[in-house]
Amino acid sequence: MSIQLFMPTFRIDECLEQIRECLEKGWTGLGFKTVEFEEKWKEYTGLKNAHFLNSATVGLSLAFKILKMQNSWDDEAEVITTPLTFVSTNHAILYEGLKPVFADVDEFLCLDPKDVEAKITAKTKAILFVGIGGNTGRYLEIVELCKKYNLALVLDAAHMAGTRLNGKVPGSEADAVVYSFQAVKNLPTADSGMICFKEKDNDELCRKLTWLGINKDTYARSNDKGAYKWKYDVEYVGYKYHGNSIMAGIGLVQLKYLDQDNAYRKQLAKWYDDGFRGNTHIKPVVMAPGCDSSRHLYVIEVAKRDELLLALNESEIYPGVHYRDNTEYRMYEYAKGTCPISHSISERIISLPMHLRMQKADVDRVVEHVIRFTSM
Ligand SMILES: *Cc1c(COP(=O)(O)O)cnc(C)c1O
């Protein structure tokens, strides 16, 4: 039997029940379940605002669009970001005509505050922090840097659904927090995301921008008694970025089980940790102090990463790499060589299979193969 890197788990009957409700009501779009999911997400995270989207990628893009609009940043504006992330993170900066400036990562695979500070210039307007694998890294030091230099902070929390830092969901410090509910993330729907702005004004602007710049949602309008529902105003050249009730319905079910599911991921991580303990060839990436991680990933550092990958594939074990140093991509090669630690770490890391359908025996099998290969 093969062991895949990721595999989403759905409580199928409960999800179908949510979808049935939408279909029976004849309401599958914006409003209804999307509003309910936003409310539940605010309750769960303690964040003040939440707007449901069709992906995290559009969320990151909107975060920069709105911060740029509200703060009148020019096109020279720089955003300090990590090269060790999914490319969606850094594209979002480029979408808005801003410049990604790469800073190096630390042992947690997250932005290293020292290198970030060294890369701040007069043009720097924001820092984009990614909680890789659910790790919080030195997030709180990044928060302090943002205060010290008066910079905006965006948290790419695509891996962080369920992560706590010192007992609470991190993010209230950031100007915007963006979650992904894409199919292989910790709260899988099929594709969707959430953006949580600190400021109410930004949340309101975002709601207009995710629906073509229209200033009222369909649900509210159809509840109006008046005959002028079509007479809305259009204030901006907005987009079609909002989420829908089918995805939100699935999200509501997943949210109910998020902590339970993450607890099982932590168990899987513990089995891996136990299996690798004392092995000098294998270095698991550790979680930062105070971080109760969502454990989206289980990452180890090894010497012959590529060979290990191939060897595992031969045994029908399919790991992944999170991520390739983004400055190796043609799009970002202008920054090649600016983040040597990220570059070398990115050649040694491998993400081992991590999903809810795995049993202890599966972890044992992966551990055994990794140990056998790395001690050769
Ligand atoms: C998955 C992911 C995204 C994008 O999420 P989508 O919902 O697929 O758009 C952004 N950043 C990181 C770090 C991711 O892993």
mmCIF file with all atom_site columns, all heavy atoms in Angstrom, residues 197-209:
data_model
loop_
_atom_site.group_PDB
_atom_site.id
_atom_site.type_symbol
_atom_site.label_atom_id
_atom_site.label_alt_id
_atom_site.label_comp_id
_atom_site.label_asym_id
_atom_site.label_entity_id
_atom_site.label_seq_id
_atom_site.pdbx_PDB_ins_code
_atom_site.Cartn_x
_atom_site.Cartn_y
_atom_site.Cartn_z
_atom_site.occupancy
_atom_site.B_iso_or_equiv
_atom_site.pdbx_formal_charge
_atom_site.auth_seq_id
_atom_site.auth_comp_id
_atom_site.auth_asym_id
_atom_site.auth_atom_id
_atom_site.pdbx_PDB_model_num
ATOM 1   N N   . PHE A 1 197 ? -8.952  40.838 8.806  1.00 0.00 ? 197 PHE A N   1
ATOM 2   C CA  . PHE A 1 197 ? -8.320  42.152 8.956  1.00 0.00 ? 197 PHE A CA  1
ATOM 3   C C   . PHE A 1 197 ? -8.428  42.618 10.395 1.00 0.00 ? 197 PHE A C   1
ATOM 4   O O   . PHE A 1 197 ? -9.431  42.367 11.067 1.00 0.00 ? 197 PHE A O   1
ATOM 5   C CB  . PHE A 1 197 ? -9.010  43.180 8.047  1.00 0.00 ? 197 PHE A CB  1
ATOM 6   C CG  . PHE A 1 197 ? -8.512  43.163 6.627  1.00 0.00 ? 197 PHE A CG  1
ATOM 7   C CD1 . PHE A 1 197 ? -9.277  42.570 5.624  1.00 0.00 ? 197 PHE A CD1 1
ATOM 8   C CD2 . PHE A 1 197 ? -7.298  43.734 6.290  1.00 0.00 ? 197 PHE A CD2 1
ATOM 9   C CE1 . PHE A 1 197 ? -8.832  42.553 4.313  1.00 0.00 ? 197 PHE A CE1 1
ATOM 10  C CE2 . PHE A 1 197 ? -6.841  43.721 4.987  1.00 0.00 ? 197 PHE A CE2 1
ATOM 11  C CZ  . PHE A 1 197 ? -7.610  43.130 3.982  1.00 0.00 ? 197 PHE A CZ  1
ATOM 12  N N   . LYS A 1 198 ? -7.410  43.338 10.821 1.00 0.00 ? 198 LYS A N   1
ATOM 13  C CA  . LYS A 1 198 ? -7.466  43.924 12.159 1.00 0.00 ? 198 LYS A CA  1
ATOM 14  C C   . LYS A 1 198 ? -8.494  45.047 12.188 1.00 0.00 ? 198 LYS A C   1
ATOM 15  O O   . LYS A 1 198 ? -9.279  45.167 13.130 1.00 0.00 ? 198 LYS A O   1
ATOM 16  C CB  . LYS A 1 198 ? -6.081  44.465 12.539 1.00 0.00 ? 198 LYS A CB  1
ATOM 17  C CG  . LYS A 1 198 ? -5.976  44.873 13.989 1.00 0.00 ? 198 LYS A CG  1
ATOM 18  C CD  . LYS A 1 198 ? -4.801  45.800 14.251 1.00 0.00 ? 198 LYS A CD  1
ATOM 19  C CE  . LYS A 1 198 ? -3.475  45.086 14.237 1.00 0.00 ? 198 LYS A CE  1
ATOM 20  N NZ  . LYS A 1 198 ? -2.335  45.967 14.521 1.00 0.00 ? 198 LYS A NZ  1
ATOM 21  N N   . GLU A 1 199 ? -8.498  45.883 11.131 1.00 0.00 ? 199 GLU A N   1
ATOM 22  C CA  . GLU A 1 199 ? -9.370  47.063 11.113 1.00 0.00 ? 199 GLU A CA  1
ATOM 23  C C   . GLU A 1 199 ? -10.694 46.769 10.402 1.00 0.00 ? 199 GLU A C   1
ATOM 24  O O   . GLU A 1 199 ? -10.717 46.231 9.304  1.00 0.00 ? 199 GLU A O   1
ATOM 25  C CB  . GLU A 1 199 ? -8.677  48.223 10.378 1.00 0.00 ? 199 GLU A CB  1
ATOM 26  C CG  . GLU A 1 199 ? -7.337  48.642 10.961 1.00 0.00 ? 199 GLU A CG  1
ATOM 27  C CD  . GLU A 1 199 ? -7.434  49.123 12.398 1.00 0.00 ? 199 GLU A CD  1
ATOM 28  O OE1 . GLU A 1 199 ? -8.533  49.553 12.826 1.00 0.00 ? 199 GLU A OE1 1
ATOM 29  O OE2 . GLU A 1 199 ? -6.402  49.059 13.100 1.00 0.00 ? 199 GLU A OE2 1
ATOM 30  N N   . LYS A 1 200 ? -11.767 47.179 11.043 1.00 0.00 ? 200 LYS A N   1
ATOM 31  C CA  . LYS A 1 200 ? -13.122 47.010 10.493 1.00 0.00 ? 200 LYS A CA  1
ATOM 32  C C   . LYS A 1 200 ? -13.262 47.649 9.101  1.00 0.00 ? 200 LYS A C   1
ATOM 33  O O   . LYS A 1 200 ? -13.874 47.084 8.198  1.00 0.00 ? 200 LYS A O   1
ATOM 34  C CB  . LYS A 1 200 ? -14.117 47.648 11.476 1.00 0.00 ? 200 LYS A CB  1
ATOM 35  C CG  . LYS A 1 200 ? -15.573 47.494 11.108 1.00 0.00 ? 200 LYS A CG  1
ATOM 36  C CD  . LYS A 1 200 ? -16.140 46.218 11.704 1.00 0.00 ? 200 LYS A CD  1
ATOM 37  C CE  . LYS A 1 200 ? -17.490 45.867 11.081 1.00 0.00 ? 200 LYS A CE  1
ATOM 38  N NZ  . LYS A 1 200 ? -17.667 44.427 10.866 1.00 0.00 ? 200 LYS A NZ  1
ATOM 39  N N   . ASP A 1 201 ? -12.681 48.826 8.934  1.00 0.00 ? 201 ASP A N   1
ATOM 40  C CA  . ASP A 1 201 ? -12.737 49.535 7.641  1.00 0.00 ? 201 ASP A CA  1
ATOM 41  C C   . ASP A 1 201 ? -12.179 48.688 6.512  1.00 0.00 ? 201 ASP A C   1
ATOM 42  O O   . ASP A 1 201 ? -12.723 48.677 5.405  1.00 0.00 ? 201 ASP A O   1
ATOM 43  C CB  . ASP A 1 201 ? -11.875 50.811 7.681  1.00 0.00 ? 201 ASP A CB  1
ATOM 44  C CG  . ASP A 1 201 ? -12.539 51.892 8.506  1.00 0.00 ? 201 ASP A CG  1
ATOM 45  O OD1 . ASP A 1 201 ? -13.666 51.645 8.991  1.00 0.00 ? 201 ASP A OD1 1
ATOM 46  O OD2 . ASP A 1 201 ? -11.922 52.962 8.665  1.00 0.00 ? 201 ASP A OD2 1
ATOM 47  N N   . ASN A 1 202 ? -11.057 48.038 6.807  1.00 0.00 ? 202 ASN A N   1
ATOM 48  C CA  . ASN A 1 202 ? -10.428 47.203 5.784  1.00 0.00 ? 202 ASN A CA  1
ATOM 49  C C   . ASN A 1 202 ? -11.294 45.998 5.455  1.00 0.00 ? 202 ASN A C   1
ATOM 50  O O   . ASN A 1 202 ? -11.395 45.583 4.308  1.00 0.00 ? 202 ASN A O   1
ATOM 51  C CB  . ASN A 1 202 ? -9.036  46.751 6.235  1.00 0.00 ? 202 ASN A CB  1
ATOM 52  C CG  . ASN A 1 202 ? -8.049  47.908 6.285  1.00 0.00 ? 202 ASN A CG  1
ATOM 53  O OD1 . ASN A 1 202 ? -8.304  48.961 5.697  1.00 0.00 ? 202 ASN A OD1 1
ATOM 54  N ND2 . ASN A 1 202 ? -6.952  47.729 6.985  1.00 0.00 ? 202 ASN A ND2 1
ATOM 55  N N   . ASP A 1 203 ? -11.914 45.435 6.483  1.00 0.00 ? 203 ASP A N   1
ATOM 56  C CA  . ASP A 1 203 ? -12.824 44.309 6.268  1.00 0.00 ? 203 ASP A CA  1
ATOM 57  C C   . ASP A 1 203 ? -13.992 44.744 5.375  1.00 0.00 ? 203 ASP A C   1
ATOM 58  O O   . ASP A 1 203 ? -14.372 44.035 4.440  1.00 0.00 ? 203 ASP A O   1
ATOM 59  C CB  . ASP A 1 203 ? -13.334 43.794 7.617  1.00 0.00 ? 203 ASP A CB  1
ATOM 60  C CG  . ASP A 1 203 ? -14.338 42.665 7.474  1.00 0.00 ? 203 ASP A CG  1
ATOM 61  O OD1 . ASP A 1 203 ? -13.903 41.527 7.214  1.00 0.00 ? 203 ASP A OD1 1
ATOM 62  O OD2 . ASP A 1 203 ? -15.556 42.924 7.590  1.00 0.00 ? 203 ASP A OD2 1
ATOM 63  N N   . GLU A 1 204 ? -14.519 45.901 5.627  1.00 0.00 ? 204 GLU A N   1
ATOM 64  C CA  . GLU A 1 204 ? -15.656 46.391 4.830  1.00 0.00 ? 204 GLU A CA  1
ATOM 65  C C   . GLU A 1 204 ? -15.256 46.648 3.381  1.00 0.00 ? 204 GLU A C   1
ATOM 66  O O   . GLU A 1 204 ? -15.985 46.283 2.452  1.00 0.00 ? 204 GLU A O   1
ATOM 67  C CB  . GLU A 1 204 ? -16.253 47.658 5.474  1.00 0.00 ? 204 GLU A CB  1
ATOM 68  C CG  . GLU A 1 204 ? -17.139 47.290 6.658  1.00 0.00 ? 204 GLU A CG  1
ATOM 69  C CD  . GLU A 1 204 ? -17.560 48.483 7.513  1.00 0.00 ? 204 GLU A CD  1
ATOM 70  O OE1 . GLU A 1 204 ? -17.288 49.639 7.115  1.00 0.00 ? 204 GLU A OE1 1
ATOM 71  O OE2 . GLU A 1 204 ? -18.150 48.245 8.575  1.00 0.00 ? 204 GLU A OE2 1
ATOM 72  N N   . LEU A 1 205 ? -14.092 47.261 3.211  1.00 0.00 ? 205 LEU A N   1
ATOM 73  C CA  . LEU A 1 205 ? -13.598 47.491 1.858  1.00 0.00 ? 205 LEU A CA  1
ATOM 74  C C   . LEU A 1 205 ? -13.372 46.164 1.135  1.00 0.00 ? 205 LEU A C   1
ATOM 75  O O   . LEU A 1 205 ? -13.731 45.993 -0.044 1.00 0.00 ? 205 LEU A O   1
ATOM 76  C CB  . LEU A 1 205 ? -12.297 48.300 1.930  1.00 0.00 ? 205 LEU A CB  1
ATOM 77  C CG  . LEU A 1 205 ? -11.529 48.543 0.631  1.00 0.00 ? 205 LEU A CG  1
ATOM 78  C CD1 . LEU A 1 205 ? -12.419 49.186 -0.433 1.00 0.00 ? 205 LEU A CD1 1
ATOM 79  C CD2 . LEU A 1 205 ? -10.303 49.422 0.910  1.00 0.00 ? 205 LEU A CD2 1
ATOM 80  N N   . CYS A 1 206 ? -12.825 45.208 1.871  1.00 0.00 ? 206 CYS A N   1
ATOM 81  C CA  . CYS A 1 206 ? -12.538 43.886 1.298  1.00 0.00 ? 206 CYS A CA  1
ATOM 82  C C   . CYS A 1 206 ? -13.818 43.222 0.800  1.00 0.00 ? 206 CYS A C   1
ATOM 83  O O   . CYS A 1 206 ? -13.850 42.632 -0.277 1.00 0.00 ? 206 CYS A O   1
ATOM 84  C CB  . CYS A 1 206 ? -11.864 43.021 2.360  1.00 0.00 ? 206 CYS A CB  1
ATOM 85  S SG  . CYS A 1 206 ? -11.299 41.446 1.743  1.00 0.00 ? 206 CYS A SG  1
ATOM 86  N N   . ARG A 1 207 ? -14.902 43.339 1.583  1.00 0.00 ? 207 ARG A N   1
ATOM 87  C CA  . ARG A 1 207 ? -16.174 42.728 1.180  1.00 0.00 ? 207 ARG A CA  1
ATOM 88  C C   . ARG A 1 207 ? -16.695 43.325 -0.133 1.00 0.00 ? 207 ARG A C   1
ATOM 89  O O   . ARG A 1 207 ? -17.329 42.638 -0.928 1.00 0.00 ? 207 ARG A O   1
ATOM 90  C CB  . ARG A 1 207 ? -17.229 42.909 2.277  1.00 0.00 ? 207 ARG A CB  1
ATOM 91  C CG  . ARG A 1 207 ? -17.022 41.956 3.416  1.00 0.00 ? 207 ARG A CG  1
ATOM 92  C CD  . ARG A 1 207 ? -17.807 42.299 4.655  1.00 0.00 ? 207 ARG A CD  1
ATOM 93  N NE  . ARG A 1 207 ? -17.214 41.570 5.757  1.00 0.00 ? 207 ARG A NE  1
ATOM 94  C CZ  . ARG A 1 207 ? -17.488 40.291 6.039  1.00 0.00 ? 207 ARG A CZ  1
ATOM 95  N NH1 . ARG A 1 207 ? -18.393 39.623 5.360  1.00 0.00 ? 207 ARG A NH1 1
ATOM 96  N NH2 . ARG A 1 207 ? -16.861 39.677 7.021  1.00 0.00 ? 207 ARG A NH2 1
ATOM 97  N N   . LYS A 1 208 ? -16.421 44.585 -0.347 1.00 0.00 ? 208 LYS A N   1
ATOM 98  C CA  . LYS A 1 208 ? -16.823 45.187 -1.629 1.00 0.00 ? 208 LYS A CA  1
ATOM 99  C C   . LYS A 1 208 ? -15.937 44.667 -2.757 1.00 0.00 ? 208 LYS A C   1
ATOM 100 O O   . LYS A 1 208 ? -16.415 44.317 -3.828 1.00 0.00 ? 208 LYS A O   1
ATOM 101 C CB  . LYS A 1 208 ? -16.731 46.711 -1.544 1.00 0.00 ? 208 LYS A CB  1
ATOM 102 C CG  . LYS A 1 208 ? -17.749 47.310 -0.589 1.00 0.00 ? 208 LYS A CG  1
ATOM 103 C CD  . LYS A 1 208 ? -17.530 48.797 -0.421 1.00 0.00 ? 208 LYS A CD  1
ATOM 104 C CE  . LYS A 1 208 ? -18.418 49.334 0.716  1.00 0.00 ? 208 LYS A CE  1
ATOM 105 N NZ  . LYS A 1 208 ? -18.014 50.690 1.108  1.00 0.00 ? 208 LYS A NZ  1
ATOM 106 N N   . LEU A 1 209 ? -14.631 44.621 -2.471 1.00 0.00 ? 209 LEU A N   1
ATOM 107 C CA  . LEU A 1 209 ? -13.688 44.224 -3.531 1.00 0.00 ? 209 LEU A CA  1
ATOM 108 C C   . LEU A 1 209 ? -13.836 42.761 -3.943 1.00 0.00 ? 209 LEU A C   1
ATOM 109 O O   . LEU A 1 209 ? -13.492 42.395 -5.055 1.00 0.00 ? 209 LEU A O   1
ATOM 110 C CB  . LEU A 1 209 ? -12.255 44.494 -3.083 1.00 0.00 ? 209 LEU A CB  1
ATOM 111 C CG  . LEU A 1 209 ? -11.877 45.975 -2.989 1.00 0.00 ? 209 LEU A CG  1
ATOM 112 C CD1 . LEU A 1 209 ? -10.450 46.111 -2.465 1.00 0.00 ? 209 LEU A CD1 1
ATOM 113 C CD2 . LEU A 1 209 ? -12.019 46.688 -4.329 1.00 0.00 ? 209 LEU A CD2 1
#
